[in-house]
Amino acid sequence: MSIRSLRTLIAVADHGSFVAAARAVGLTQSAVSMQLRGLEDELRAELFDRARRPPTLNDRGQALVRRARDIVLLYERLGEPVEDDGMVGLLDLGAVPTTLSGVVPRALAGLQQVHPRIAVNMVNGMSGELVDRVKRGELDAAIVSESDRLPSGLAWHPVATEWIVVAAPPQSVEKTDRDLLAAWPYIRFNRRAWVANPIQQSLRRRKIRPRQAMELDSLESILLMVYYGLGVSVIPQRCVEGPHPLPIRYIPFGDPPLARRIGLLERAGNPKAKLTAALHVAFKNLAIKDGVPAKAPA
């Protein structure tokens, strides 16, 4: 089994087809096919579903890709000075979209400064799907919302608290969450997100029936819609703001105000527990440094 074949396999996973992978690694498509056929012959296992066009990685192939990333990373770092802390390897990390423009990149930058030999492969998704992928071993860890219904065999470590707020246009004059939701069209946050359920429960309990205008799953898209006066939205307020925050009003939502906790999820007995522990420290250090609000925003 050659490093070159493993790199080619990773390229197929990253680029989605043999043709695109061939361009990425500087080979012909036929050479890519031959390398991967040889890899399958060596392993005595099929790695692709060739009944589909283009061929797609099957479960065995996806599992091998995860191992191949670690192997290639270690191979490429053989020439680096040897350290004895063991903090080297690749983490396949998932994160809910709301964290990818706030706490996650800042924490990963801090991790890189302290442990430069830890590489991170990022994917995004809703909390429910990320939990399933961690459970199946497709991801080493994930940043997800807290839940009291986690499957057995998983461990969740808190990272930060995010308050649930009504995001309102800068020109709005209404003082309360109820008045804002009555006066403006409602831009609903993706109902598949775990945080959507307590938001909807609060709206029903308080008999608030906003005029829904649209439903979006990107926090950035929602905030731009709000900024341009197209409505208001009920969203988690990021505990770490991006570099260029929009001048949007944030009013506490709920009575009492709602909050959610986000944390690092991993399998019990995770073979990369030492790396995920370092990642958890990076998240906690960031939250401590920037300050998690002790009370809801005024």
Side-chain angles (χ1 to χ4, degrees):
M1 187 183 303
S2 69
I3 288 293
R4 189 175 188 185
S5 296
L6 294 180
R7 284 186 173 131
T8 301
L9 178 68
I10 293 169
V12 173
D14 289 344
H15 297 280
S17 71
F18 286 18
V19 174
R23 288 196 295 266
V25 299
L27 296 173
T28 64
Q29 183 181 350
S30 60
V32 167
S33 297
M34 288 179 61
Q35 277 192 15
L36 297 178
R37 277 292 188 189
L39 192 56
E40 289 177 316
D41 290 344
E42 187 174 355
L43 295 171
R44 298 180 182 177
E46 291 188 355
L47 303 176
F48 293 89
D49 178 0
R50 288 183 170 82
R52 304 178 65 177
R53 290 292 181 268
T56 57
L57 286 160
N58 58 25
D59 291 344
R60 180 69 183 272
Q62 291 173 356
L64 182 60
V65 167
R66 292 192 294 274
R67 293 182 182 179
R69 292 188 192 278
D70 286 337
I71 292 169
V72 170
L73 178 66
L74 291 171
Y75 176 82
E76 290 174 345
R77 291 180 169 179
L78 283 175
E80 296 180 3
V82 177
E83 299 178 11
D84 59 5
D85 64 358
M87 303 304 287
V88 57
L90 175 69
L91 279 176
D92 287 307
L93 177 67
V96 291
T98 53
T99 65
L100 288 174
S101 54
V103 67
V104 166
R106 296 273 294 277
L108 292 183
L111 178 71
Q112 181 67 28
Q113 289 180 350
V114 179
H115 302 294
R117 298 196 301 157
I118 298 179
V120 178
N121 178 46
M122 282 296 316
V123 299
N124 74 85
M126 295 291 106
S127 288
E129 92 181 63
L130 294 176
V131 168
D132 290 341
R133 295 188 67 179
V134 172
K135 179 71 173 178
R136 294 195 300 266
E138 295 176 7
L139 295 173
D140 298 310
I143 302 298
V144 299
S145 300
E146 183 179 19
S147 172
D148 57 2
R149 298 187 303 275
L150 285 179
S152 61
L154 297 179
W156 185 86
H157 314 290
V159 166
T161 297
E162 294 183 330
W163 291 99
I164 308 303
V165 296
V166 177
Q171 69 269 31
S172 61
V173 296
E174 293 77 13
K175 302 297 184 183
T176 68
D177 60 344
R178 182 181 291 274
D179 290 342
L180 283 164
L181 289 162
W184 294 81
Y186 180 47
I187 303 170
R188 181 172 179 169
F189 186 51
N190 189 333
R191 70 187 69 200
R192 294 190 300 116
W194 280 359
V195 72
N197 188 47
I199 290 173
Q200 288 304 113
Q201 288 180 350
S202 179
L203 289 172
R204 285 194 296 268
R205 185 177 62 251
R206 299 171 65 197
K207 296 182 172 55
I208 298 175
R209 297 179 176 83
R211 296 173 290 118
Q212 184 167 326
M214 61 188 81
E215 180 174 339
L216 301 171
D217 58 8
S218 163
L219 194 57
E220 285 62 45
S221 298
I222 288 174
L223 293 176
L224 280 170
M225 297 290 183
V226 170
Y227 173 73
Y228 284 110
L230 298 176
V232 298
S233 186
V234 182
I235 57 173
Q237 185 178 19
R238 290 175 293 210
C239 59
V240 175
E241 191 55 83
H244 304 292
L246 293 170
I248 287 174
R249 295 179 63 210
Y250 293 106
I251 306 298
F253 173 76
D255 185 17
L258 293 183
R260 74 162 180 180
R261 291 203 301 169
I262 56 173
L264 181 70
L265 181 77
E266 64 179 331
R267 297 186 308 283
N270 183 0
K272 297 184 181 179
K274 191 171 183 178
L275 303 187
T276 56
L279 179 62
H280 187 223
V281 169
F283 278 106
K284 289 185 67 176
N285 286 345
L286 179 62
I288 291 169
K289 185 179 75 170
D290 284 5
V292 179
K295 60 181 181 178

